[in-house]
Amino acid sequence: KLANDYKLSAIGELTSGIVEEILSPLQVISSTTELIRSDDSQVDGEVFDTINTQVKKVKKIINNLLKFAGNNDVKSKVQPCNINELINEFYMLTVSSLSNDKYECITDLEENLPPVITRPNYIYQLLTNIFSMIRSQKGNEGGILIQTKYRDEKVEIKFLTTDCEEDLKQENLRNNKDINLKIINNIMASHEGELFIDSNDTNGTIINLSFPIKRNLGK
C-alpha cells in the first residue's frame, strides 16, 4: 500500500509539469493555425478544422487527467460519492489505451444511483486493480462492459468481459495470489461489501462489487 501510495503521489506531482509541457505547444499550434487561416491561405478550411478538433481532443484528455490526479486531500476523505461520475472519469483516461489494444470498453450506468459513503481514491483503486487484473491476462482483442445498478439497498458495479480468465474460475480463486485481487478483497471488506467473481469458457468473466448503502461508518 505504501509503495502504491508513493507511486500515485509521484505521478500526481509530475502531472502538472508534464501538462504544461503539452499545453504550451498546443496553444502555439492553435494560434498558428488560426493565423494561417486568416492570411488568405489556399489550404482547404477542413484541414484547419481537423487540426483544431484534434487539439481540443488532447486538451480534453489532459483536463480529465488533471481532474483525476488533482485534489488528493479531498479524494482521500470519506464522503458521499457518485459512483457513476468516478467511473466516467476513469473511463475517459483508459478508453484510448484500450482502443489501441483493440479492446472495447462500454459503460451501462444506471441513472440516479444513491451515493456511496467511501473515499474516491478507493473507487479509483478498485477500478485500477480490476483493469490491471483483466488486461494482464487478456488476448489481443475482446471487450469489457461496466454496469452499475441499485437494488436491495446496495449499489453494484459489474464488470463483464469476453475473456475466460483461468485464474478467476471459482475453483482457482482460493489459490490466486494476484496482488490486485488481494487489494480488491481488502477494500471491499473495509466497505462491508461483497465481491463475486466467476469465469468460464461460455460467458467469459464476471466481477461484481456490491456496496451496502447502510454500513458502519467507523471503518
Side-chain angles (χ1 to χ4, degrees), residues 32-53:
T32 304
T33 300
E34 292 305 314
L35 181 62
I36 296 174
R37 187 206 293 264
S38 63
D39 193 27
D40 297 326
S41 174
Q42 299 299 315
V43 181
D44 191 333
E46 290 186 3
V47 174
F48 299 111
D49 293 337
T50 299
I51 294 173
N52 287 327
T53 297

Side-chain angles (χ1 to χ4, degrees), residues 53-214:
T53 297
Q54 296 304 313
V55 168
K56 290 178 180 178
K57 183 184 294 186
V58 175
K59 287 183 177 179
K60 183 177 180 180
I61 293 173
I62 290 174
N63 288 332
N64 286 325
L65 177 60
L66 285 173
K67 188 176 181 181
F68 182 82
N71 298 322
N72 287 325
D73 290 340
V74 174
K75 292 178 179 179
S76 64
K77 295 180 180 178
V78 176
Q79 57 189 283
C81 293
N82 185 317
I83 295 296
N84 286 347
E85 287 185 1
L86 298 178
I87 290 175
N88 278 326
E89 287 180 17
F90 186 86
Y91 170 83
M92 293 301 296
L93 290 177
T94 58
V95 65
S96 296
S97 175
L98 291 171
S99 296
N100 290 337
D101 289 340
K102 298 181 180 179
Y103 206 75
E104 186 176 13
C105 183
I106 300 173
T107 58
D108 177 22
L109 310 180
E110 184 176 292
E111 296 182 357
N112 302 317
L113 286 179
V116 172
I117 303 299
T118 183
R119 306 173 195 267
N121 280 342
Y122 282 175
I123 304 302
Y124 293 143
Q125 185 70 63
L126 284 170
L127 294 170
T128 300
N129 289 124
I130 288 174
F131 271 72
S132 295
M133 190 166 57
I134 292 173
R135 295 187 68 184
S136 66
Q137 305 180 57
K138 72 179 180 60
N140 292 326
E141 297 184 6
I144 180 170
L145 170 66
I146 308 174
Q147 290 182 324
T148 58
K149 186 176 295 185
Y150 175 64
R151 61 180 177 183
D152 300 329
E153 296 190 336
K154 296 178 181 179
V155 170
E156 297 182 354
I157 309 176
K158 181 179 290 187
F159 303 83
L160 301 98
T161 80
T162 55
D163 301 315
C164 173
E165 315 291 358
E166 195 68 28
D167 292 341
L168 298 182
K169 289 184 176 181
Q170 284 287 313
E171 61 268 25
N172 298 328
L173 281 176
R174 179 171 295 182
N175 297 320
N176 192 324
K177 304 299 183 182
D178 191 328
I179 187 63
N180 291 298
L181 183 57
K182 290 183 179 181
I183 293 175
I184 294 168
N185 271 309
N186 288 338
I187 294 178
M188 292 309 298
S190 72
H191 287 78
E192 300 177 16
E194 298 176 354
L195 170 65
F196 172 80
I197 300 178
D198 191 22
S199 189
N200 58 69
D201 297 324
T202 303
N203 299 319
T205 301
I206 298 174
I207 300 174
N208 194 74
L209 312 178
S210 180
F211 299 86
I213 297 300
K214 300 178 181 178

